[in-house]
Amino acid sequence: MPQFSATEIAYLMVGCQQAVLAFGWLAAAGLLPQSRKSMLAWALHATLSAVALCGFVVATRPGNEPLRAAANLSIVGSMIALQWGVRVFVHRESAWRWHAGAAALAALVSWYGLDPAHGAVRVAVISGLLAVLTLATAWDLQRAARWKLDWRWRLLLSVPVGLAGLVFAARSLRAALDPEHVVAYVTANSTLNTSSAVIYLVVALAFQLTLVALVVSQFVTELKEASRFDSLTGALNRRAIDEVLNAEVMRSRRLKDRFSVLMIDVDHFKDINDRHGHAAGDRALQHLGTVFTTHMREIDRVGRYGGEEFVVVLPGASIAEARQMADRLRERVEASPLRWQERAVPLTISVGLSHWQGDEDQLATMMARADAALYRAKQGGRNRVMTSELMAVDVA
């Protein structure tokens, strides 16, 4: 029975830990199909890490250079799988060219390093590749926390992976500066190496906890977003658009800025439901939601206020600018009939427009003005824009 040193036992413990985590990611992939590709990649990362660590332990015995080469390929492959899974999870473009190049270089160096005389080159290049892969993954995690999750302490997400990258970089540098002793240093059963293995045990677990935090945070963010949007039209829901309106009032009072509101109602919507069915009515609302969000400015916010009624918030828009935007939108809707069962169903909207009148104004009063203007637009024949100042933009 082989006798293992304290350092080897520590690395075998890390390998066992990674094997258990691989099963965990496989189970998660079965439970969460929407993230299956990422979780399968992370399961592969943990599996290859376990294989590599066990391979490194066995390869310390004489005559096991091919096994050491296989372990080198496995550890590089594990980091490629880690980064690929992170990029898939946060919907970033694939880095397959870079990954293919890293794998090819690792294969070449592992073959070259079969000769013990080239061991320092193998350690330097493989450790350098691991450093670059790991630091690149840390950067991807930081970007994910910043742009996808909007974490205040987003750097914490990338710290464990970044620290591992710095350790790999230090090992690569040592191999370059001290090639005669680096291989013996790496494989020696020393207190330093045993401590390093224990630290790696903690860092490897932190790796996995980082991924778990990424998954949990992403789902929490998605739940928050889902609670803000209308499930039928994709526009903001009533609660979210009310939050936007209150925030715009606060901003306008603080900066003495202006904004306008459009209150929109679909003309003869009941007739659409009666003639074509409620499915056609739902499709009409979806169609209008797309038209509204597509043809407004990026800073504008579109919300479904209830039933067939929508509200559009126009930050920074004067009443004249808002009127122009409202009529362009009305014309766009009229020119974009709903296609339903191979027939064109005409759609028009009536719009009531109101403008923030300064610090003395109140949001409820402003919305009441917009509602009253909408009522006048409908009473005046529909398919028109009416402002709260009783000025109408009639159809041509």
Side-chain angles (χ1 to χ4, degrees), residues 308-328:
E308 67 272 23
E309 193 169 81
F310 292 82
V311 166
V312 181
V313 183
L314 305 172
S318 67
I319 195 165
E321 292 167 338
R323 186 187 297 130
Q324 290 176 355
M325 287 188 278
D327 206 51
R328 282 199 301 267

Side-chain angles (χ1 to χ4, degrees), residues 201-224:
L201 178 72
V202 176
V203 171
L205 181 59
F207 259 32
Q208 302 297 329
L209 291 177
T210 293
L211 299 179
V212 171
L214 185 66
V215 172
V216 172
S217 298
Q218 180 84 339
F219 284 129
V220 169
T221 300
E222 289 176 356
L223 286 173
K224 288 181 178 178

Side-chain angles (χ1 to χ4, degrees), residues 329-342:
L329 188 62
R330 180 192 60 76
E331 292 170 353
R332 175 58 61 179
V333 170
E334 189 176 16
S336 306
L338 170 69
R339 301 298 304 181
W340 179 254
Q341 296 180 347
E342 299 183 357

Side-chain angles (χ1 to χ4, degrees), residues 234-308:
L236 293 172
N237 58 26
R238 175 70 176 265
R239 176 182 176 183
I241 201 67
D242 282 341
E243 291 175 356
V244 170
L245 284 164
N246 281 292
E248 196 61 29
V249 168
M250 294 176 63
R251 188 189 69 84
S252 295
R253 284 177 172 164
R254 184 176 67 254
L255 301 178
K256 307 302 180 185
D257 201 1
R258 58 194 179 186
F259 75 99
S260 297
V261 170
L262 307 181
M263 189 167 284
I264 303 170
D265 193 82
V266 185
D267 295 332
H268 304 294
F269 183 72
K270 185 177 183 299
D271 291 344
I272 296 175
N273 281 331
D274 292 342
R275 293 179 183 178
H276 306 283
H278 288 280
D282 288 347
R283 185 66 189 90
L285 292 175
Q286 292 174 335
H287 173 71
L288 289 170
T290 301
V291 172
F292 294 160
T293 55
T294 302
H295 293 90
M296 302 308 294
R297 303 171 302 172
E298 288 188 6
I299 62 172
D300 300 331
R301 293 294 177 264
V302 179
R304 185 183 177 193
Y305 221 49
E308 67 272 23

Side-chain angles (χ1 to χ4, degrees), residues 4 66 103 152 180:
F4 294 107
R152 178 177 297 180
E180 295 182 1

